[in-house]
Amino acid sequence: MTERAQAIAAKVEAFVRETVIPYEKDERATSHGPTDELVQEMRAKAKAAGVLTPHILPDGSHLNQRETAIVLIKSGLSPLGPLAVNTMAPDEGNMYLIGKVGSPEQKARFLEQLVSGESRSAFFMTEPAAENGAGSDPSMMQTTCRLDGNHWVINGRKAFITGAAGAKVGIVMAKSQDGACMFLVDLPDPAIRIERVLDTIDSSMPGGHSIVVIDNLRVPASQMLGASGEGFQYAQVRLSPARLSHCMRWLGAAIRAQEIASDYACRREAFGKKLIDHEGVGFMLAENMIDLQQCELMIDWCASVLDSGSLGTVESSMAKVAVSEALFRIADRCVQVMGGMGVSGDTIVEQVFREVRAFRIYDGPTEVHKWSLAKKIKRDHGKAHAG
């Protein structure tokens, strides 16, 4: 690992542990996510500490994926960490996509405000299941766009749109007669109406997750990302790195949960000895050590594939399944080790459990990734036995 990445990661870890963790009891961390007031207060301190948007260097270049991993893992040591240092979803993935696909004008208008941490963004893809809209299968997209002069007119409904409430930049996916399209939009816009913010199991994302109506939204043609019909191609650019970034951040949270549970087990006495000396408890924490190490190696392996220039679609599916399932096991064991304390809000272990449970669904449920991998096995088998 490069010295620059290690140095950045060390600064991020120190900032999260010393400055961010005390905010975890702040009343502005609500059930629909931390307020923007809290986020901006933490970001001001991150900027002063030189750790704001640490994965993007001053010249606009990015750390490679392996370097990004060790930085984002450290940012995830608190659920508030990624928000404070601007490595959170969906912004981190949106910054990556705009940086790769956006025109110079689009970058100046939309990317710079995200990199600086002054604005949040939202990615409008998922649609209501009751209307047979796009979810894990984006080809089911119902939202439409049509060209009208030098503007595109977009209509549809979106669901589970993270951070839509309070976002200033949006990436909207819709389908034209050519296929999927992506548009950059300024928010708020009267044509994009939030019907409601959902009550969900997780609570770490500012703005929560919204049901949104898009009613005759007019977007200048200059704000289309790339060309009409190429939206799924651009989604692939964002897809694998975004999946892996989730793994990185939540690995950091699981590491913290393990620290808290281990401390509890080494202090708490029951039945004549410390909990850690009871094999049923000690073995759970030992299994967590193994899972944490496997997660770190899986992330590093997938990151190296992406750094080679590959889209890493298969590898990121494998990593997402392996890591999300392992992190859930880790969080579950931490709750179990801590007993009543584990299901209370007195530590962040309970929140990590909830967040990681949601992660098993977000960015593709485990079953969808396994199905995709099984299709690859069938294809490869067919090729091997052709003729």
Side-chain angles (χ1 to χ4, degrees):
M1 187 54 60
T2 63
E3 288 186 6
R4 72 173 182 181
Q6 290 174 334
I8 294 170
K11 287 180 66 176
V12 168
E13 177 175 8
F15 178 76
V16 171
R17 290 191 183 277
E18 296 166 12
T19 303
V20 176
I21 286 176
Y23 277 105
E24 289 173 351
K25 298 297 184 182
D26 195 295
E27 63 183 11
R28 292 170 292 177
T30 70
S31 61
H32 285 161
T35 65
D36 283 309
E37 176 191 14
L38 175 57
V39 172
Q40 289 302 320
E41 184 176 316
M42 292 189 297
R43 286 186 179 177
K45 293 184 178 181
K47 185 176 181 179
V51 293
L52 187 66
T53 324
H55 58 295
I56 299 180
L57 302 176
D59 63 1
S61 64
H62 284 236
L63 297 177
N64 65 35
Q65 289 294 312
R66 292 188 70 212
E67 292 175 315
T68 296
I70 68 167
V71 173
L72 264 62
I73 289 169
K74 298 303 185 184
S75 76
L77 288 168
S78 167
L80 294 175
L83 310 177
V85 302
N86 202 24
T87 60
M88 69 181 187
D91 291 357
E92 185 266 336
N94 289 344
M95 285 187 273
Y96 184 86
L97 175 62
I98 299 170
K100 290 286 186 181
V101 180
S103 68
E105 294 76 19
Q106 290 170 341
K107 291 177 184 178
R109 180 171 173 181
F110 296 102
L111 179 59
E112 289 181 7
Q113 60 181 303
L114 297 179
V115 173
S116 70
E118 65 187 86
S119 300
R120 290 195 291 103
S121 64
F123 191 80
F124 295 77
M125 187 192 79
T126 306
E127 297 171 338
E131 299 168 19
N132 293 319
S136 298
D137 182 357
S139 68
M140 296 170 64
M141 190 172 301
Q142 303 293 315
T143 303
T144 61
C145 57
R146 61 177 178 82
L147 190 61
D148 180 25
N150 63 349
H151 284 71
W152 288 85
V153 180
I154 305 173
N155 285 280
R157 296 181 78 239
K158 298 291 185 178
F160 298 102
I161 306 306
T162 303
K168 294 182 180 178
V169 174
I171 299 178
V172 178
M173 287 200 73
K175 65 176 183 180
S176 69
Q177 60 182 10
D178 304 314
C181 304
M182 284 189 181
F183 300 90
L184 287 163
V185 299
D186 293 299
L187 297 174
D189 188 295
I192 301 178
R193 178 169 55 86
I194 295 175
E195 279 191 344
R196 62 191 177 101
V197 179
L198 298 165
D199 292 321
T200 59
I201 194 172
D202 57 341
S203 58
S204 67
M205 307 293 188
H209 311 281
S210 297
I211 304 292
V212 176
V213 175
I214 303 176
D215 184 14
N216 287 319
L217 173 67
R218 296 184 65 85
V219 182
S222 61
Q223 290 175 212
M224 175 182 278
L225 269 173
S228 178
E230 295 182 356
F232 287 150
Q233 176 184 330
Y234 303 139
Q236 289 297 318
V237 171
R238 183 186 189 277
L239 187 64
S240 293
R243 283 176 187 162
L244 198 59
S245 295
H246 274 305
C247 294
M248 299 169 189
R249 288 183 291 261
W250 291 123
L251 174 55
I255 290 170
R256 175 91 178 291
Q258 172 77 347
E259 292 174 356
I260 294 169
S262 297
D263 180 70
Y264 182 85
C266 289
R267 292 175 182 271
R268 173 70 165 154
E269 271 196 29
F271 303 102
K273 54 185 175 182
K274 303 290 188 185
L275 289 185
I276 190 67
D277 294 323
H278 292 277
E279 286 186 350
V281 173
F283 282 11
M284 282 192 284
L285 295 172
E287 289 167 354
N288 279 359
M289 284 182 64
I290 296 167
D291 273 341
L292 286 168
Q293 185 64 48
Q294 289 175 334
C295 288
E296 186 174 340
L297 293 171
M298 197 76 176
I299 290 169
D300 186 68
W301 164 72
C302 184
S304 69
V305 171
L306 297 181
D307 285 339
S308 75
S310 168
L311 280 176
T313 305
V314 169
E315 293 83 358
S316 66
S317 280
M318 294 170 66
K320 201 276 179 177
V321 170
V323 174
S324 66
E325 295 294 326
L327 296 185
F328 182 71
R329 293 193 299 269
I330 293 164
D332 184 58
R333 293 186 195 116
C334 288
V335 169
Q336 194 71 12
V337 164
M338 296 179 68
M341 281 288 291
V343 297
S344 79
D346 283 2
T347 75
I348 61 125
V349 170
E350 176 268 344
Q351 183 184 357
V352 171
F353 176 84
R354 289 186 288 106
E355 303 285 348
V356 172
R357 182 61 186 87
F359 174 40
R360 291 173 65 204
I361 295 173
Y362 298 160
D363 268 36
T366 293
E367 294 71 24
V368 170
H369 288 291
K370 288 182 176 179
W371 173 67
S372 176
L373 293 169
K375 288 200 299 180
K376 173 178 168 49
I377 293 170
K378 183 178 179 180
R379 287 195 306 270
D380 290 348
H381 180 271
K383 291 176 184 178
H385 294 82

